[in-house]
Amino acid sequence: MTFRRSPLALAILGLLENGPLHPYGLQRLIRQWGKDQVVNVGQRTSLYRMIVRLEEGGLITAVATERDERYPERTVYHLTDDGRAICRQWLGEIMTTPRNEYPEFPAALSFVMLVPPEAAGELLAERREKLTKRIAELQLELRTEVEGKPVPRFALLETEYQVAVTVAEAKWIDGILHDLRNGKLTWTPGPV
């Protein structure tokens, strides 16, 4: 069976590398380790649906069912050899091959001519303010400690990447705002 990779599927397989877990444990670790900043966990149903698909694909398997009076019954999953191999394959493909991921912001920029340049400047200035706050939040995350010890750098590489990308976007917006203010960038608003 060919399994279409996704960030959530990669996260589940990657977390199961550390040993068997139940879905609630997976969700808790995704959030606890800050992986929810780069993996859209969404609602718990998304996680459960992905677990079912991974199990049907033979990448994970149920190994036990835990019963505890305080919690509902929980199925514990573990990574299969195929799951381990696919996880490594996806990791290699994703890390080596840039791909257009269709983010919303560039899509909005492609229709900026629908609003006057002044309005575009105001919108971009507002985004720039939010980026400044986001950069501060990410930099704070980089200084996270667990039990009084800094989190190892390898566990924060995705946060470092987010800082770099967010700083680059902010710098780019600064240039666009400069060009809008001095008239180097202008247009007449209207339909495309």
Side-chain angles (χ1 to χ4, degrees):
M1 171 187 192
T2 304
F3 195 94
R4 187 169 166 248
R5 75 176 188 230
S6 73
L8 181 56
L10 178 65
I12 292 167
L13 296 178
L15 290 171
L16 288 176
E17 285 273 353
N18 294 316
L21 287 167
H22 48 75
Y24 177 75
L26 285 164
Q27 186 178 36
R28 192 184 82 246
L29 280 178
I30 287 170
R31 288 203 169 98
Q32 189 176 36
W33 292 2
K35 304 305 180 198
D36 58 335
Q37 298 296 313
V38 293
V39 175
N40 185 2
V41 180
Q43 300 172 346
R44 192 173 294 173
T45 55
S46 304
L47 180 70
Y48 283 101
R49 277 194 303 257
M50 183 58 70
I51 287 170
V52 167
R53 289 182 54 225
L54 290 167
E55 186 175 28
E56 288 171 352
L59 303 180
I60 65 174
T61 187
V63 290
T65 302
E66 293 180 351
R67 288 178 174 78
D68 185 324
E69 298 167 3
R70 298 172 294 169
Y71 304 105
E73 193 174 87
R74 294 179 174 172
T75 303
V76 177
Y77 295 90
H78 110 84
L79 192 60
T80 64
D81 289 340
D82 286 346
R84 186 170 283 105
I86 286 292
C87 183
R88 298 290 193 285
Q89 177 187 333
W90 289 349
L91 193 57
E93 290 170 358
I94 294 168
M95 289 184 70
T96 60
T97 309
R99 177 177 155 227
N100 192 353
E101 297 175 356
Y102 304 104
E104 290 181 334
F105 182 54
L109 288 172
S110 72
F111 290 97
V112 73
M113 78 294 292
L114 296 175
V115 298
E118 302 77 31
E122 291 169 11
L123 295 170
L124 289 171
E126 184 178 334
R127 183 178 182 93
R128 178 62 172 89
E129 286 178 34
K130 291 175 181 176
L131 289 173
T132 299
K133 290 176 185 169
R134 181 69 181 136
I135 291 166
E137 291 167 359
L138 290 168
Q139 289 173 332
L140 185 63
E141 229 176 273
L142 288 174
R143 294 189 296 273
T144 300
E145 293 187 354
V146 175
E147 297 176 6
K149 295 180 182 175
V151 174
R153 184 174 179 207
F154 68 81
L156 296 169
L157 289 177
E158 74 273 13
T159 307
E160 282 186 20
Y161 172 79
Q162 288 179 300
V163 169
V165 169
T166 308
V167 166
E169 181 181 330
K171 183 177 177 182
W172 179 82
I173 287 176
D174 288 343
I176 296 300
L177 289 172
H178 178 266
D179 290 349
L180 283 168
R181 286 184 194 114
N182 71 18
K184 283 177 73 177
L185 176 62
T186 190
W187 60 88
T188 302
V192 281

